[in-house]
Amino acid sequence: KQEVTQIPAALSVPEGENLVLNCSLTDSAIYNLQWFRQDPGKGLTSLLLIQSSQREQTSGRLNASLDKSSGRSTLYIAASQPGDSATYLCAVNTGGFKTIFGAGTRLFVKA
Amino acid sequence: EPEVTQTPSHQVTQMGQEVILRCVPISNHLYFYWYRQILGQKVEFLVSFYNNEISEKSEIFDDQFSVERPDGSNFTLKIRSTKLEDSAMYFCASSAEGVNTIYFGEGSWLTVV
């Protein structure tokens, strides 16, 4: 059974710092992996999608990588800004219609 | 940019009442989903819907729940005889293909009292 673990659960950094959020999977059988952003009381905004055949995807200051052999994904945020403060969710699809979510990393970027 | 819209944004209902949550998926999408997030917990899959039928459902999605696509634009989640533990944020989502980028709505907060 696939489970998704995100470390750390919470992170506070000063503005401008580069940071890495981690996502670990218990099963390396991945169809795709998606990173989302969630603001308090709001919906989920898709940030990046990595297909199982890909190793990374980039969008602006965000870079997501996927290592299937180790069952790990990272989300790299460059030059963090206060507006990046949110919860970041890692979610994996193993080939069916269901996407399995991690508990998220709550990020706070201090001005 | 196209988006998934959900109504109502917040609903308070008495225990035992029926609730219908409504969603308008992105217009050219073919796959529709409902997820829920109990306060402080993970986002959980409830059900997926494709070609006018349920394609997959979780163990949470029991006989209390049903989904419907009553017309070409709306997608609904009905919860019969609500319980206190049904209190959660319910998210509708859609995707162009079954295992592609999933787009979520802003959610409907359901509070059962």
Side-chain angles (χ1 to χ4, degrees):
Chain A
K1 178 184 173 186
Q2 179 71 270
E3 292 186 4
V4 182
T5 302
Q6 292 189 246
I7 295 173
L11 182 63
S12 180
V13 300
E15 182 177 5
E17 191 161 299
N18 302 325
L19 58 101
V20 175
L21 308 181
N22 296 290
C23 175
S24 296
L25 313 173
T26 54
D27 188 339
S28 60
I30 301 164
Y31 196 89
N32 65 39
L33 186 144
Q34 197 165 352
W35 283 93
F36 293 89
R37 168 184 173 139
Q38 185 177 29
D39 292 287
K42 299 290 187 179
L44 283 65
T45 301
S46 178
L47 298 173
L48 290 162
L49 174 78
I50 308 177
Q51 302 288 359
S52 62
S53 58
Q54 299 172 323
R55 289 195 62 85
E56 64 179 329
Q57 285 286 334
T58 298
S59 175
R61 295 183 293 109
L62 305 179
N63 175 277
S65 67
L66 174 63
D67 183 344
K68 283 183 61 178
S69 61
S70 66
R72 292 184 179 180
S73 177
T74 62
L75 179 67
Y76 174 83
I77 303 177
S80 58
Q81 303 170 356
D84 295 330
S85 298
T87 296
Y88 290 81
L89 301 175
C90 171
V92 64
N93 182 291
T94 55
F97 293 94
K98 175 171 66 174
T99 294
I100 302 166
F101 283 80
T105 293
R106 284 184 290 113
L107 173 65
F108 179 64
V109 181
K110 298 171 288 187
Chain B
E1 182 175 324
E3 59 182 19
V4 176
T5 58
Q6 291 186 239
T7 54
S9 57
H10 191 190
Q11 182 163 353
V12 180
T13 189
Q14 297 276 344
M15 191 168 52
Q17 295 296 304
E18 177 181 284
V19 164
I20 297 176
L21 305 179
R22 292 180 168 81
C23 169
V24 179
I26 295 173
S27 62
N28 63 341
H29 284 184
L30 301 176
Y31 297 81
F32 315 115
Y33 313 87
W34 284 100
Y35 286 78
R36 79 173 184 188
Q37 186 177 33
I38 296 171
L39 190 63
Q41 298 188 22
K42 292 182 179 183
V43 175
E44 302 174 288
F45 170 80
L46 292 178
V47 66
S48 61
F49 193 86
Y50 169 71
N51 200 26
N52 285 318
E53 62 182 20
I54 291 173
S55 47
E56 188 170 351
K57 62 182 181 179
S58 72
E59 58 275 11
I60 302 169
F61 195 88
D62 59 20
D63 292 342
Q64 183 194 8
F65 295 90
S66 63
V67 289
E68 190 178 36
R69 188 155 164 82
D71 53 44
S73 59
N74 291 282
F75 180 50
T76 63
L77 174 69
K78 182 188 292 185
I79 310 175
R80 286 180 283 274
S81 189
T82 50
K83 299 175 282 194
L84 295 176
E85 54 265 38
D86 294 328
S87 295
M89 176 79 100
Y90 288 81
F91 293 109
C92 176
S94 67
S95 63
E97 296 175 10
V99 284
N100 213 323
T101 300
I102 300 175
Y103 296 89
F104 281 76
E106 287 291 301
S108 294
W109 267 113
L110 176 64
T111 302
V112 183
V113 297

